[in-house]
């Protein structure tokens, strides 16, 4: 990355663990100010501590990516506190393994809401803030599961295929 993100402000959803956490840590190592968001508050705060121990700059904000009100508040807070938004990593997601005939409608809808609606809401509310900052970069996390179906992951496949095509 070099210095491409030095001084930039980045939001990483699902940043408390896994790929989101690794992305947040790397962005901070490269000089970005990282706003880690997640519903896992304690783990998110641990991720901030890890970044700060490495002399990076980060903060944690609780965010349920399915809540438009929370997205609005987050972007307003980031814009107010930092004066800009440059990077969005739409990473939050869940995988519920079940065949179509076994999956409940509630699980289908929850997975769709987090994995696809959350990406939409991030785009909807971060793009205007990025325009105000003069531009930015958006990374929408999909999966090979968005390219290749699997009988016990059909709902997950649908969400990741949706993210892929939404991004295109």
């Amino acid at each position: 990355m070099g210095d491409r993100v030095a001084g930039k402000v980045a939001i990483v959803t699902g940043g408390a663990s896994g790929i989101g956490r690794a992305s947040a840590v790397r962005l901070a190592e490269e000089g970005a100010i990282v706003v880690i968001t997640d519903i896992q508050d304690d783990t998110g705060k641990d991720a901030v501590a890890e970044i700060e121990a490495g002399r990076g700059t980060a903060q944690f904000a609780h965010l349920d990516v399915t809540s438009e009100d929370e997205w609005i508040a987050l972007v307003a807070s980031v814009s107010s506190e930092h004066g800009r938004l440059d990077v969005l990593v739409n990473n939050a997601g869940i995988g519920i393994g079940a065949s179509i005939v076994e999956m409940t409608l509630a699980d289908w809808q929850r997975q769709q809401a987090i994995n696809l609606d959350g990406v939409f809401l991030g785009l909807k509310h971060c793009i205007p803030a990025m325009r105000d900052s003069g531009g930015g970069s958006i990374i929408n996390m999909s999966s090979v599961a968005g390219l290749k179906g699997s009988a016990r992951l059909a709902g997950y496949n649908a969400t990741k295929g949706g993210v892929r095509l939404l991004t295109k």
Side-chain angles (χ1 to χ4, degrees), residues 32-91:
I33 299 162
V34 182
V35 180
I36 295 173
T37 70
D38 211 300
I39 59 170
Q40 300 177 77
D41 296 344
D42 291 340
T43 311
K45 291 172 186 171
D46 290 345
V48 168
E50 176 185 347
I51 287 170
E52 290 176 340
R55 303 199 190 281
T57 304
Q59 66 187 78
F60 177 76
H62 180 92
L63 176 69
D64 173 351
V65 295
T66 69
S67 169
E68 187 163 20
D69 289 342
E70 289 187 28
W71 270 109
I72 292 167
L74 172 71
V75 173
S77 173
V78 169
S79 296
S80 174
E81 184 172 342
H82 300 288
R84 62 184 305 114
L85 177 59
D86 305 288
V87 179
L88 169 63
V89 181
N90 259 327
N91 171 74

Side-chain angles (χ1 to χ4, degrees), residues 114-133:
I114 294 168
N115 295 6
L116 192 51
D117 297 351
V119 171
F120 162 75
L121 290 170
L123 295 170
K124 177 180 179 178
H125 295 290
C126 290
I127 288 172
M130 288 179 171
R131 282 187 184 141
D132 291 345
S133 301

